[in-house]
Amino acid sequence: MSDDTYWTDDPSELLRVQPGFRLSQQPTDGTPGFAGGKREGEKALARGAGRLADLQEQLFACGREGEPRSVLLVLQAMDTAGKGGIVSHVIGAMNPGGVQYAAFGAPTPEEQAHDFLWRVWREVPAAGRIGVFDRSHYEDVLIGRVRKLAPPDELERRYGAINAFEKELAQSGTTILKVMLHLGKDEQRKRLESRLNRRDKLWKFNPADVDERLHWDDYQEAYQLAFDRTTSAYAPWFVVPADHKWYARVAVQQLLIRALEALGLEWPLPDYDVEEQKRRLAAS
Amino acid sequence: MSDDTYWTDDPSELLRVQPGFRLSQQPTDGTPGFAGGKREGEKALARGAGRLADLQEQLFACGREGEPRSVLLVLQAMDTAGKGGIVSHVIGAMNPGGVQYAAFGAPTPEEQAHDFLWRVWREVPAAGRIGVFDRSHYEDVLIGRVRKLAPPDELERRYGAINAFEKELAQSGTTILKVMLHLGKDEQRKRLESRLNRRDKLWKFNPADVDERLHWDDYQEAYQLAFDRTTSAYAPWFVVPADHKWYARVAVQQLLIRALEALGLEWPLPDYDVEEQKRRLAAS
């Protein structure tokens, strides 16, 4: 069972983008549904890690036996919102052998010579795997839109292409979770400042981060539009308040746990005779 | 600094395959160089996890700034020797974003239509990454040899090809560690039996594991030959006693830590003016 000690409400309902959702009205510093503060959050995270690892192993086992199910977690956010921390602390608790992690940076010339979904298709999770997209095809309607990297018609076309792509994935057995880590603008300034003040974090800072920051409102609008156009029953969006790193981590972990539990996985039955194998083994 | 509390000797010296090495004379149940038992091993592992994660981040940072260095850990072993546990517990403690994990199973038809190194080249770690091969090109001189999957001339040719490949990698900046987890034959029987006795582990058992077990001595000879022919200064082999899972884990962790420490990594210098960026940020 999912850990109900701290969750007063199901975050997969609470954080889910519903019709009429307005990003601009969502607080970034809340901890909805979680009864506790940072200490309890860290406890819940540690406890959830074992549960998540078990579910992942079961998904993997089912995949090995030919079941087509997989899970895809899409992570989108403004810089410093905590994607990296979620990858380390939530995803990192699972067996790397069962996780397919893909980071999507600025496209290479080869990638640019293809449709925007080409590089994404290559990274979708295989049966039994948990795929994690650190940024994704949504960049093509976020920075793509804000920075006008494609003609207006092409930008418009992409929402439909994304829906068709995600529907195809979902129908072939992939459970899709799309997460936007929702960070406050002031909190971002603090986090960028702290990078500039630490010798061991300077490498994480890029002057382009400030350039992007100057387009903050445009990005918020582009996110709103993406939610309006690509929220679907088969590929829901979740907006996770991210000013508290501990909350964002435990919330995303819980979204994954509940999505995996909803699959109702069972350990696969062996396709060999257990007693016969015991005899062979004893004789070997 | 590497954790010297428990290590009385440097495992990267102690476990390294040296000229005249005989696998058949190596105990599988020892804990060489480690002053302590299972409890101390688990403590050391937990402490080492943080150190390893820090070094990995530093390697990653350097890679981002254009330094060509990377690390490749090759894991080879008989079934049940604990590769999976090492991937979970040692590799899993690092940020998945900086790790390139690749499992090499039976080759696909496409892989078989190429030279045996083709699929391996595609998975070598990029600059700043830690590559992990869960099985590797050595399968082509292990099961390849034992099961006569290639003509004798081709099998012979492969040792030289492997040496040339590993030399090329090393010269381009990759630190290579090749680890054989050395398991006792009786211990393997126990572990396979325990899989057959647990509902949640049946999926890990494959009747072919018993078939391979019947060729135990042939595999040990094939490993010996691989050590004789492919041990080099640029791509050393380490034989890690694996009857105690806790020891194998902490030993491989320590090999990685020491290899990373030997790189003498520094945090990269920023290629921007820190004070100027602070001013821009404050104004944003």
Side-chain angles (χ1 to χ4, degrees):
Chain A
M1 270 295 296
S2 54
D3 183 353
D4 290 325
T5 318
Y6 296 109
W7 289 98
T8 56
D9 284 288
D10 180 354
S12 56
E13 289 307 316
L14 217 51
L15 303 176
R16 193 183 187 119
V17 171
Q18 308 280 2
F21 174 90
R22 297 302 307 160
L23 183 62
S24 56
Q25 290 163 15
Q26 303 302 310
T28 57
D29 61 352
T31 59
F34 192 84
K38 187 173 176 179
R39 246 190 65 190
E40 290 75 23
E42 286 168 355
K43 249 194 249 177
L45 191 73
R47 202 183 302 171
R51 177 72 184 135
L52 186 56
D54 287 347
L55 287 162
Q56 177 261 316
E57 187 179 7
Q58 207 162 26
L59 180 70
F60 187 83
C62 292
R64 277 262 297 254
E65 299 304 314
E67 290 192 40
R69 288 177 295 192
S70 62
V71 171
L72 174 61
L73 174 69
V74 172
L75 290 173
Q76 283 291 157
M78 300 296 286
D79 286 320
T80 75
K83 285 190 288 88
I86 283 175
V87 171
S88 282
H89 297 278
V90 179
I91 305 306
M94 294 183 281
N95 188 334
V99 172
Q100 279 181 251
Y101 168 89
F104 294 96
T108 65
E110 188 187 19
E111 288 168 353
Q112 270 184 312
H114 291 89
D115 179 64
F116 77 106
L117 292 174
W118 180 73
R119 65 175 184 167
V120 181
W121 267 109
R122 294 153 55 111
E123 302 288 354
V124 299
R129 308 303 170 95
I130 295 181
V132 178
F133 284 0
D134 186 342
R135 306 184 187 277
S136 67
H137 43 300
Y138 284 96
E139 290 297 315
D140 296 280
V141 291
L142 293 167
I143 191 170
R145 184 164 204 101
V146 172
R147 296 302 203 153
K148 301 183 173 56
L149 302 178
D153 282 3
E154 166 63 11
L155 286 168
E156 276 310 301
R157 185 190 73 83
R158 287 180 183 169
Y159 300 104
I162 286 173
N163 287 331
F165 162 63
E166 292 177 351
K167 191 173 189 178
E168 168 70 16
L169 274 195
Q171 287 180 340
S172 71
T174 303
T175 298
I176 304 173
L177 304 172
K178 302 184 294 197
V179 167
M180 187 246 192
L181 301 177
H182 189 32
L183 183 71
K185 194 176 177 189
D186 284 346
E187 180 65 20
Q188 192 199 44
R189 184 194 293 110
K190 283 185 207 151
R191 293 187 186 179
L192 286 171
E193 271 168 6
S194 112
R195 287 186 179 174
L196 285 169
N197 284 319
R198 282 183 57 178
R199 176 73 185 89
D200 61 340
K201 297 294 172 199
L202 288 177
W203 69 276
K204 284 193 170 185
F205 182 92
N206 185 333
D209 299 343
V210 182
D211 302 339
E212 293 307 299
R213 182 174 163 76
L214 297 174
H215 293 274
W216 189 273
D217 293 342
D218 299 337
Y219 275 105
Q220 301 293 304
E221 268 174 50
Y223 271 107
Q224 178 67 51
L225 200 53
F227 300 148
D228 293 343
R229 303 286 290 276
T230 67
T231 294
S232 61
Y234 50 82
W237 271 106
F238 302 89
V239 170
V240 177
D243 283 2
H244 297 292
K245 288 181 183 176
W246 66 264
Y247 176 79
R249 289 173 190 173
V250 81
V252 173
Q253 183 189 64
Q254 196 62 207
L255 292 176
L256 277 171
I257 287 174
R258 293 191 186 227
L260 282 158
E261 285 180 342
L263 295 179
L265 300 167
E266 304 271 359
W267 291 109
L269 289 171
D271 55 2
Y272 53 84
D273 179 331
V274 175
E275 294 309 317
E276 179 195 340
Q277 295 302 322
K278 283 186 186 171
R279 283 190 299 273
R280 287 186 71 211
L281 187 59
S284 73
Chain B
M1 267 297 297
S2 52
D3 182 352
D4 290 326
T5 318
Y6 295 110
W7 289 98
T8 56
D9 283 287
D10 179 354
S12 57
E13 289 307 316
L14 218 50
L15 302 177
R16 192 183 187 117
V17 170
Q18 308 279 3
F21 174 90
R22 298 299 309 159
L23 183 61
S24 56
Q25 291 163 15
Q26 302 301 312
T28 57
D29 61 352
T31 59
F34 192 84
K38 187 173 177 180
R39 246 190 65 190
E40 291 75 22
E42 286 168 357
K43 248 195 250 177
L45 191 72
R47 201 182 303 171
R51 176 71 183 137
L52 186 56
D54 287 347
L55 287 162
Q56 179 262 315
E57 187 179 7
Q58 206 162 26
L59 180 69
F60 187 83
C62 292
R64 276 264 296 255
E65 299 303 314
E67 291 192 41
R69 287 177 294 191
S70 61
V71 170
L72 174 61
L73 174 68
V74 172
L75 291 174
Q76 284 290 159
M78 299 299 283
D79 286 321
T80 75
K83 285 190 288 88
I86 283 176
V87 170
S88 282
H89 297 277
V90 178
I91 304 306
M94 294 184 281
N95 187 333
V99 171
Q100 281 180 249
Y101 168 87
F104 294 97
T108 65
E110 188 187 20
E111 288 169 352
Q112 270 185 315
H114 292 89
D115 179 63
F116 77 107
L117 291 174
W118 180 74
R119 64 175 185 166
V120 181
W121 267 108
R122 294 154 55 112
E123 303 287 354
V124 300
R129 307 304 169 94
I130 295 181
V132 179
F133 284 0
D134 186 342
R135 307 186 187 274
S136 68
H137 44 298
Y138 283 97
E139 290 296 316
D140 297 280
V141 292
L142 292 168
I143 192 171
R145 184 166 204 99
V146 172
R147 297 301 202 151
K148 300 183 176 58
L149 303 179
D153 281 5
E154 167 61 13
L155 285 167
E156 275 309 303
R157 186 191 72 84
R158 288 180 183 170
Y159 300 104
I162 287 173
N163 286 329
F165 162 64
E166 292 177 350
K167 190 173 190 177
E168 169 69 16
L169 274 196
Q171 286 180 342
S172 70
T174 303
T175 297
I176 305 172
L177 304 172
K178 300 183 294 197
V179 167
M180 186 248 191
L181 300 178
H182 189 31
L183 184 70
K185 193 176 178 188
D186 284 345
E187 180 65 19
Q188 193 200 41
R189 184 193 295 110
K190 283 185 208 153
R191 293 187 186 179
L192 286 171
E193 271 168 6
S194 113
R195 287 186 180 176
L196 285 170
N197 285 319
R198 283 184 56 178
R199 176 73 186 89
D200 61 340
K201 296 296 172 197
L202 287 177
W203 69 277
K204 284 193 171 185
F205 183 91
N206 185 332
D209 299 344
V210 183
D211 303 338
E212 293 306 299
R213 181 173 163 78
L214 298 174
H215 292 275
W216 188 273
D217 293 343
D218 298 337
Y219 275 105
Q220 301 293 305
E221 266 175 50
Y223 271 107
Q224 178 68 50
L225 201 52
F227 299 149
D228 293 344
R229 304 286 290 275
T230 67
T231 294
S232 61
Y234 50 82
W237 272 105
F238 300 90
V239 171
V240 176
D243 283 0
H244 296 294
K245 288 181 184 177
W246 66 264
Y247 176 78
R249 291 172 189 175
V250 79
V252 172
Q253 183 190 63
Q254 196 63 208
L255 292 176
L256 278 171
I257 288 174
R258 294 191 185 228
L260 283 159
E261 285 182 342
L263 296 178
L265 301 168
E266 306 270 358
W267 291 107
L269 289 170
D271 56 2
Y272 53 84
D273 180 330
V274 174
E275 294 309 318
E276 181 196 339
Q277 295 302 323
K278 283 185 187 172
R279 283 191 299 273
R280 288 186 69 213
L281 185 59
S284 74

